Amino acid sequence: MITGLMILEGVLSIALIAVVVLQSGKSAGLSGSIAGGAESMFGGKAKGLDAILAKATIILASLFGLVTMVLVKLMQ
C-alpha cells in the first residue's frame, strides 16, 4: 500500500509540475504581477485553457497534499 501511494505521489508531482509549466504568464515585471493579482481578486476571469489549467492545479495540489499526509501517517 505504501509503495502504491508513493508511486501515486510521484505521478501527481509530475502532473502538477506539467500543469503549472503549461500555464501562461499573466504579465511581465513586478507591476504587472501586482495588477494581475488585483484583477483576479476583484473578479477577473481566466478564459479557455487557462481556466482549465487553474482548476487542474488546485485539484492536483489538493490530491498531492492529501496523499502526502496519508503517507506520513502510515509511516509513523
Side-chain angles (χ1 to χ4, degrees):
M1 177 159 178
I2 292 177
T3 305
L5 285 173
M6 287 179 144
I7 292 171
L8 178 62
E9 187 167 23
V11 170
L12 285 173
S13 66
I14 291 170
L16 184 59
I17 291 168
V19 168
V20 169
V21 168
L22 286 174
Q23 291 180 8
S24 64
K26 301 297 178 199
S27 59
L30 182 60
S31 63
S33 66
I34 294 171
E39 179 182 330
S40 65
M41 183 185 300
F42 294 115
K45 298 273 184 184
K47 297 190 180 190
L49 185 61
D50 285 335
I52 294 169
L53 290 174
K55 288 179 184 177
T57 302
I58 293 170
I59 292 168
L60 288 172
S62 300
L63 287 173
F64 181 80
L66 181 68
V67 171
T68 302
M69 286 187 264
V70 170
L71 273 172
V72 167
K73 194 66 175 169
L74 288 176
M75 289 188 170
Q76 286 182 347

